[in-house]
Amino acid sequence: MRTLIEEGRIKERIKQLAAQISSDFDGHEVLLVGVLKGAVVFMADLVRELKCPCTIDFMAVSSYGMSTHSSGVVRIIKDLDHSIEGKHVILVEDIVDTGLTLDYLCGVLRSRKPATLKVCVLLDKPSRRKIPVKVDYTGFQIPDEFVIGYGLDYQELYRQLPYVAVLENGGSH
Ligand code: IMP
Ligand code: MG
């Protein structure tokens, strides 16, 4: 395992993202929608730095397996608890890789008529993109390597690491 982004750098970057979001929404109420489970750690830290009034909700999705995943079909395992109509929504995700998950989720959320819909990701692997996704707030761009920690898992493990690391020998995708 090799550290890619140290704990201090993540903390610092989250403060900057939160300052940007707080200023963009300028006192308006924001609804953070986290994608389970990977976004939990990032979202918990992000929400505590926000200055605007905000509520949180979660969705869980799963892909149907590789062949279908590559066609962009994602299944909603857990939907939001409340309507998002007329709300300022920020979709929070751990990482944007091919973009299929975020593209699908943005489509679903947009159809529910939020006042605004923004996307915030901790990590972005631009070289892997299959579908363009507009990401409004990005923590870090990273190379095409499989990463773990700070919410990201390999076979459900390593989510609790306070930093982001590259998992060497395994975790190929
Ligand atoms: P996308 O639909 O290909 O953009 O997939 C995004 C999802 O794939 C993320 O929410 C992660 O669950 C998973 N993923 C992509 N890259 C990594 C990685 O390097 N480490 C851990 N999970 C990853
Ligand atoms: Mg995920």
Side-chain angles (χ1 to χ4, degrees):
M1 203 187 296
R2 164 169 56 89
T3 302
L4 187 67
I5 312 171
E6 281 164 10
E7 189 175 359
R9 280 183 70 205
I10 300 176
K11 275 209 173 83
E12 200 50 44
R13 186 70 186 121
I14 288 177
K15 282 198 176 125
Q16 294 170 348
L17 290 175
Q20 182 70 55
I21 293 170
S22 303
S23 132
D24 288 355
F25 287 90
D26 192 26
H28 288 96
E29 188 176 308
V30 168
L31 167 63
L32 296 186
V33 171
V35 185
L36 294 172
K37 303 171 217 173
V40 163
V41 177
F42 174 43
M43 188 155 127
D45 283 348
L46 182 70
V47 74
R48 283 177 287 178
E49 296 289 340
L50 288 179
K51 305 291 179 253
C52 39
C54 77
T55 59
I56 65 173
D57 206 342
F58 293 95
M59 286 181 96
V61 295
S62 111
S63 57
Y64 277 109
M66 276 329 277
S67 60
T68 321
H69 189 204
S70 57
S71 70
V73 178
V74 177
R75 188 163 50 114
I76 295 178
I77 303 290
K78 183 222 171 289
D79 208 335
L80 297 173
D81 290 340
H82 302 289
S83 163
I84 62 167
E85 192 171 338
K87 297 194 172 167
H88 295 292
V89 175
I90 303 178
L91 185 56
V92 180
E93 179 54 312
D94 52 0
I95 184 166
V96 53
D97 186 34
T98 62
L100 295 169
T101 307
L102 276 181
D103 178 67
Y104 174 79
L105 284 176
C106 284
V108 168
L109 295 182
R110 210 170 283 119
S111 73
R112 299 178 183 179
K113 303 189 166 47
T116 58
L117 176 63
K118 303 283 182 193
V119 175
C120 176
V121 301
L122 178 69
L123 305 174
D124 180 7
K125 276 189 208 171
S127 61
R128 296 254 311 162
R129 203 74 89 251
K130 288 185 181 159
I131 299 188
V133 185
K134 185 170 177 286
V135 179
D136 302 280
Y137 307 100
T138 302
F140 302 91
Q141 289 203 343
I142 61 168
D144 181 15
E145 293 186 286
F146 194 84
V147 291
I148 50 167
Y150 206 79
L152 291 111
D153 73 304
Y154 172 61
Q155 296 185 351
E156 297 295 329
L157 290 168
Y158 308 110
R159 293 192 199 274
Q160 85 270 29
L161 298 178
Y163 49 85
V164 172
V166 174
L167 187 65
E168 289 157 318
N169 319 313
S172 66
H173 56 296

